[in-house]
Amino acid sequence: MMSDSFPTSASTPPPFGIVDPPAGQIRNSDSADVMSRIPGLPKVAEAVSNIDTAQVAAKVDKFKKWTIGTFKNSKQQLLEQMGKIEKTQDPEFEAQCEQLKDIHRRYGQIVVASKNFSNILAQMAEAEKQLSESFYQLSLKEEALKAQCTTTSETMRGVGEQASSLDTCLRFFISSMETVYNQTITDTLHTIYSTESARIEYDVDRNEISSAQESPNSKTLPAGATEKCQEKREKYENLKKDVRIKMRLLEENRISVVASQLEKLQTALAAYYSGNAKLLEKSVRDLNSIQIPQPSFIPNSNNFM
């Protein structure tokens, strides 16, 4: 009777070409062993020694402070909306800021509507020029209708050129309104948003100090908390002054520039719809001579912060 024979583990070849380590060497799957066997890759000890622990600790501490500050600010805003905590208010200043935000939204609507009108006008001008060309081509074949086709072609060509001129005026007007909307007003809005953030940070510290003073069981405030709160209050007040200056200068410049732009656009529209080609061309030249408002009227806003 033959007995079944099975190959021993020693005679079984390693699967998929894996070769056992030489005798006396123990296979180690640790990352340190892997790093040491890969050419060009530093060892763990060498990699760790190159880390600037002071820099890492500073970044971790900065991230920790940012996280705590963000949580406190979010909590402050939530409690304010729920009416469970007092917030610093300046009704007149806040009303002026909201008014500017509303004006900014309305300028955005003007930009969008003007672009839609310009696109339609450009398409119409192109269609009129194509129709003019079609009448001209027909006049070459229809001798009996040559005079009428030629007159119609010239009329349509003139109408198309006037539409192109109006579109030029409109595009210049759009460029100016985009500057007012995207840069001039936005510059002041950025300062307003910074002021709102500064107000929240000030109220966080102010309410923490107030709670500690009113409740004897509260935890002790860290050293310098009062001075830090005062610094944030001064930053908030300085930003408010900055906003007031910017809003005053913004209104003066905005009204002057936009009024001039609107007068020129009205002249161009009247010339186009009345068929006055010469007046329309003059409007194009006048629009090109108008200065577009600058993005900001404050040389350096940091001077007010």
Side-chain angles (χ1 to χ4, degrees):
M1 181 176 181
M2 298 179 61
S3 59
D4 295 334
S5 61
F6 298 94
T8 62
S9 59
S11 61
T12 303
F16 307 107
I18 299 178
V19 181
D20 290 335
Q25 180 178 347
I26 300 176
R27 179 179 297 173
N28 184 9
S29 60
D30 187 75
S31 59
D33 182 64
V34 173
M35 294 181 68
S36 64
R37 289 180 297 175
I38 299 178
L41 197 64
K43 296 182 179 180
V44 172
E46 181 183 350
V48 172
S49 63
N50 293 332
I51 297 177
D52 188 348
T53 55
Q55 185 179 7
V56 173
K59 290 183 178 180
V60 171
D61 184 63
K62 183 178 180 181
F63 177 74
K64 180 180 178 181
K65 290 180 179 180
W66 175 84
T67 303
I68 295 174
T70 302
F71 171 75
K72 289 182 177 181
N73 294 344
S74 300
K75 180 181 178 181
Q76 173 74 22
Q77 295 181 72
L78 179 61
L79 293 176
E80 288 176 359
Q81 293 176 359
M82 297 174 64
K84 294 185 177 181
I85 197 170
E86 180 185 0
K87 81 174 209 177
T88 302
Q89 292 183 331
D90 188 338
E92 181 182 357
F93 175 76
E94 293 173 4
Q96 292 174 350
C97 294
E98 289 301 320
Q99 182 180 8
L100 182 60
K101 291 178 183 178
D102 183 61
I103 290 175
H104 183 249
R105 286 191 292 268
R106 294 177 188 274
Y107 271 99
Q109 295 172 355
I110 291 293
V111 170
V112 172
S114 298
K115 286 184 176 181
N116 291 337
F117 180 37
S118 176
N119 291 335
I120 295 173
L121 190 63
Q123 293 175 5
M124 186 172 65
E126 182 63 26
E128 290 167 345
K129 291 177 181 179
Q130 290 180 0
L131 183 57
S132 171
E133 179 64 21
S134 299
F135 276 116
Y136 171 73
Q137 294 295 333
L138 181 61
S139 68
L140 299 178
K141 299 296 181 181
E142 288 281 6
E143 290 294 333
L145 299 174
K146 186 180 176 97
Q148 292 85 345
C149 288
T150 301
T151 301
T152 305
S153 174
E154 292 176 353
T155 301
M156 293 304 303
R157 186 181 73 253
V159 171
E161 291 175 351
Q162 291 181 23
S164 297
S165 297
L166 178 60
D167 186 51
T168 300
C169 296
L170 188 59
R171 288 181 183 276
F172 191 89
F173 173 79
I174 292 172
S175 176
S176 179
M177 292 303 100
E178 284 183 324
T179 301
V180 173
Y181 174 71
N182 292 323
Q183 300 181 40
T184 310
I185 301 180
T186 303
D187 177 75
T188 303
L189 289 179
H190 285 326
T191 310
I192 290 176
Y193 297 142
S194 298
T195 305
E196 294 173 350
S197 299
R199 195 274 305 165
I200 293 173
E201 293 177 0
Y202 163 61
D203 279 345
V204 168
D205 289 2
R206 182 178 59 82
N207 288 321
E208 285 183 351
I209 294 175
S210 178
S211 299
Q213 293 174 347
E214 294 175 358
S215 178
N217 298 326
S218 300
K219 63 180 181 179
T220 305
L221 290 171
T226 304
E227 291 77 6
K228 182 180 177 182
C229 180
Q230 182 62 24
E231 290 177 0
K232 291 186 177 180
R233 182 178 182 277
E234 292 177 357
K235 177 183 178 181
Y236 168 59
E237 294 296 337
N238 289 335
L239 281 170
K240 284 172 61 178
K241 294 178 182 178
D242 188 4
V243 170
R244 287 192 176 99
I245 293 173
K246 284 191 173 186
M247 285 196 295
R248 176 173 58 81
L249 296 177
L250 170 65
E251 182 176 5
E252 295 174 359
N253 185 280
R254 185 184 74 248
I255 297 301
S256 174
V257 171
V258 175
S260 179
Q261 287 282 348
L262 288 173
E263 289 177 359
K264 297 301 180 183
L265 180 62
Q266 290 167 9
T267 302
L269 289 170
Y272 172 75
Y273 286 108
S274 64
N276 192 334
K278 293 183 178 180
L279 180 60
L280 186 57
E281 291 299 325
K282 181 178 181 299
S283 298
V284 174
R285 293 193 300 270
D286 292 342
L287 275 175
N288 290 329
S289 66
I290 297 177
Q291 182 179 4
I292 298 177
Q294 297 299 315
S296 175
F297 311 112
I298 306 296
N300 186 0
S301 60
N302 294 329
N303 294 335
F304 302 92
M305 300 177 66

